[in-house]
Structure formats: C-alpha cells, structure tokens
C-alpha cells in the first residue's frame, strides 16, 4: 500500500481508489457539502503524531452542518476517533493534512438540502508548507468581493463557497501574486482566500473582526492567544484597504498557511520586504505550540 492509501468512506476504511461519488450527487452538481482542514504534526523524538485542535475543527464542522441544514449522525468525539483510526491505518509518520468532508449524496435535480443522504468522509495526506512560511509571499487586493453573511456564509466552510476563494486565488496567481486579499461588499478587509490576515502597526497587532465575512478561524484564535502570551496588544476592528499599504508588517494565518509573512501588497513593499520581528516572534511560538512544545497550550495537541 502506498502512503495514506486508506480513506474513511461510507462508514468504513477503504483504499482511496474505491471511494467514489456518483456524478449525479448533489454535492458535485450544487456544491452541497462542508469540510474542514486540520494539520497533524509528527514528532521524531517521541515518535508520536499530534493533531492540532482537532476537537475544535470537528465542532466547527458540525456548526457548518447546522448552518447548511445538513445533519450528520456523528458527534465530534466520534469524528476524532475515526480520524485517529485513519491515521493509524495509514501509519502516518510525517506532518500531514487531514480533510474531513460532509457531502450530499442524493441523486436528484434540484438544489435543496435534505435530512437524509449526507455522508461523512475523511482523507489524510502528507503536507509541509502550503505557502512560503520562511521567505514570505506577495498578495493583491482581489477584484472579487467576499461572499456576504446573507449570500454564502463565510463563517462556515461550505464546499460551494470556495468558488469565491478559487476565483480570487486564480486571479491573484494570473497577475503574478501568491495570494489574494478579499474585501467585504462594504470595502473593508476581510481575509485571504484560505487564511486570516493580521497587520502590525507601531507594535500593535490588528485583525478584522469575525463580522467581516470571514471564517470563524481556529488559527486566528490561536494567534490571539499566543500574542497575549507574548504580551502584545491585539485590536480586533475594521481594517481599511489603505491601512495594508502602511502596515509595518502583515502576515496570514490559517491551518494551511500556519503563520506566513506577507512581503508586499499590490506592488507596495511591506516593512523592509522581509519577515518582521513581531511576525517572527509569533511564528516561532506558533511552531512550538502546534508541536506540543509549549506547556500552556499542550492541550491543543491531540495525541493519536
Ligand atoms: C476562507 C478561509 N479563511 C481562513 C482560514 C483559516 O482558518 P483556520 O485557521 O481555522 O484553518 C481557512 C482555512 O481553513 C479558510 O478556508
């Protein structure tokens, strides 16, 4: 069996090649589903795998199910057990990404959520950097606006909502940037295509509130806690586009992005164009915390 061969599918652990969804499924035709992205970190010293804030991710998945009215008869605890078993079956011994998804298997023409026909699946794959966490990245303000709370709620993770992210990220890449920054319909900074954004101005951390059409972020919450630990002031408030251009430092954070410095926005250099001191300090603590090396936050790291 190759690495991460098994997936959890329709109540069983099966080879990935056997996990197939019908072309008629509503999940495929209408994007009816919701998902999570979770990181697991392998520790060579004690030969253990630690999944970062796994219970929080599954609680958020169940919230997404509630928002979408897609009930699934599993608790967060049961989902954690399935995930543990999946990692054991695949003998995961590397930093990895876990992707749980709840999707609508109903084969019918009409975009409507129903009580029945929702399935839970999970796969795991090795993953290192999603963005360049050491060298930093460039970003542009997207011409695409973030989907609003009364369109496709961005505080959840609905499958179909990621068309919005894909449009913005594809446009950014086509224009030579690494990532996109969304504004809300009102024109204030929201988040990246798959990460939250923090600015540093005069030593103070600033980030848009969760009311600015962004995901209820787990890494965002982690960064807030770590910043507190470092004695940094964090202000959660509306952020105007032009504030990005005068920030001393900017970084993205997220499960995939971890803590990634932003070197430039819209062809303006941020700070001196390299990772700033506040970002560096936070990133160092973040990488220790996710690996269970910070006593106070060790409870975030679930041992498989
Ligand atoms: C749109 C969006 N924003 C932000 C994030 C970061 O959130 P979290 O730190 O909870 O993974 C993600 C990734 O999950 C995302 O897809």
């Amino acid at each position: 069996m190759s690495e991460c061969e098994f997936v959890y599918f329709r109540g069983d652990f099966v080879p990935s090649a056997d996990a197939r969804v019908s072309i008629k499924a509503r999940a495929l035709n209408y994007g009816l589903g919701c998902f999570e992205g979770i990181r697991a970190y392998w520790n060579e010293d004690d030969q253990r795998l630690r999944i970062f804030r796994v219970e929080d991710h599954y609680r958020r998945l169940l919230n997404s199910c509630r928002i979408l009215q897609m009930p699934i008869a599993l608790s967060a605890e049961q989902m954690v057990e399935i995930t543990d078993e999946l990692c054991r079956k695949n003998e995961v011994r590397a930093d990895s990404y876990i992707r749980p998804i709840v999707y609508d298997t109903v084969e019918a023409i009409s975009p409507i959520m129903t009580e029945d026909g929702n399935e839970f699946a999970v796969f795991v794959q090795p993953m290192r950097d999603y963005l360049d966490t050491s060298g930093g990245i460039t970003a542009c303000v997207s011409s695409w606006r973030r989907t609003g709370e009364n369109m496709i709620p961005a505080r959840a993770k609905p499958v179909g909502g990621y068309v919005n992210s894909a449009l913005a990220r594809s446009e950014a890449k086509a224009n030579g940037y690494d990532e996109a920054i969304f504004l809300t319909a009102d024109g204030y900074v929201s988040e990246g295509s798959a990460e939250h954004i923090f600015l540093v101005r005069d030593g103070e951390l600033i980030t848009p509130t969760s009311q600015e059409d962004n995901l209820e972020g787990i890494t965002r919450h982690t960064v807030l806690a770590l910043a507190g630990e470092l004695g940094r002031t964090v202000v959660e408030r509306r952020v105007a586009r032009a504030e990005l251009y005068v920030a001393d430092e900017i970084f993205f954070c997220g499960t995939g992005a971890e803590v990634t410095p932003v070197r430039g926005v819209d062809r303006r250099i941020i700070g001196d164009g390299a990772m700033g001191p506040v970002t560096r300090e936070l990133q160092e603590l973040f990488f220790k915390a996710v690996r269970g090396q910070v006593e106070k936050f060790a409870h975030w790291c679930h041992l498989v």
Side-chain angles (χ1 to χ4, degrees):
M1 290 283 177
S2 62
E3 203 172 6
C4 297
E5 169 67 13
F6 292 104
V7 302
Y8 182 79
F9 183 73
R10 300 217 158 189
D12 209 354
F13 297 96
V14 301
S16 177
D18 295 347
R20 291 284 173 259
V21 178
S22 165
I23 193 172
K24 297 181 184 173
R26 279 189 176 137
L28 186 59
N29 286 267
Y30 304 114
L32 302 193
C34 50
F35 66 100
E36 272 303 320
I38 311 172
R39 270 195 191 258
Y41 294 89
W42 174 253
N43 186 332
E44 230 6 87
D45 293 338
D46 66 3
Q47 299 281 299
R48 299 292 300 269
L49 188 71
R50 289 171 171 78
I51 311 182
F52 190 63
R53 300 192 67 170
V54 63
E55 296 89 356
D56 293 319
H57 280 281
Y58 281 124
R59 275 194 282 273
R60 187 171 68 187
L61 182 67
L62 290 171
N63 283 345
S64 290
C65 288
R66 260 180 229 123
I67 291 170
L68 298 182
Q69 286 193 297
M70 294 186 65
I72 189 89
L74 285 170
S75 65
E77 292 71 27
Q78 287 169 314
M79 290 174 174
V80 172
E81 279 170 28
I82 289 167
T83 307
D84 282 352
E85 189 54 23
L86 179 73
C87 292
R88 283 194 287 265
K89 278 219 179 313
N90 282 300
E91 297 176 15
V92 175
R93 292 171 64 86
D95 291 354
S96 298
Y97 187 77
I98 298 163
R99 165 56 52 80
I101 183 164
V102 173
Y103 60 100
D104 188 339
T105 62
V106 174
E107 300 183 7
I109 302 294
S110 146
I112 185 166
M113 278 83 166
T114 47
E115 293 262 311
D116 303 320
N118 303 317
E119 284 281 346
F120 172 72
V122 198
F123 63 86
V124 57
Q125 62 185 43
M127 182 150 132
R128 298 190 77 83
D129 262 5
Y130 172 70
L131 299 173
D132 186 348
T133 55
S134 45
I137 63 164
T138 60
C140 61
V141 171
S142 183
S143 71
W144 297 95
R145 293 294 167 99
R146 193 69 175 134
T147 52
E149 186 69 32
N150 293 298
M151 299 171 188
I152 300 177
R155 71 177 60 247
K157 279 181 79 74
V159 172
Y162 279 76
V163 171
N164 190 220
S165 290
L167 285 168
R169 190 165 161 78
S170 304
E171 178 192 58
K173 291 270 183 195
N175 289 333
Y177 297 96
D178 301 307
E179 190 46 283
I181 299 169
F182 276 120
L183 304 182
T184 62
D186 290 345
Y188 291 93
V189 175
S190 175
E191 61 177 341
S193 75
E195 50 282 305
H196 289 92
I197 190 164
F198 279 76
L199 287 67
V200 181
R201 292 190 74 182
D202 298 326
E204 193 174 75
L205 285 155
I206 304 163
T207 193
T209 72
S210 294
Q211 307 311 317
E212 303 291 351
D213 296 328
N214 55 54
L215 181 67
E216 293 190 348
I218 292 167
T219 315
R220 178 184 183 279
H221 180 267
T222 300
V223 166
L224 293 177
L226 297 181
E229 199 57 23
L230 293 169
R232 294 254 163 223
T233 314
V234 186
V235 185
E236 296 175 69
R237 64 160 173 83
R238 277 205 144 164
V239 175
R241 172 183 188 157
E243 283 184 86
L244 297 170
Y245 305 147
V246 294
D248 303 322
E249 299 177 34
I250 297 179
F251 63 87
F252 280 128
C253 72
T255 296
E258 301 177 297
V259 173
T260 298
V262 178
R263 292 188 275 113
V265 177
D266 290 344
R267 307 209 186 279
R268 288 143 172 104
I269 294 168
I270 303 303
D272 59 9
M275 190 180 331
V278 178
T279 307
R280 185 175 300 282
E281 184 185 39
L282 263 162
Q283 193 195 61
E284 277 172 12
L285 187 59
F286 176 84
F287 282 136
K288 283 189 188 143
V290 294
R291 292 182 182 279
Q293 293 161 359
V294 181
E295 186 72 33
K296 186 170 179 186
F297 302 114
H299 62 279
W300 280 338
C301 304
H302 169 85
L303 277 165
V304 174

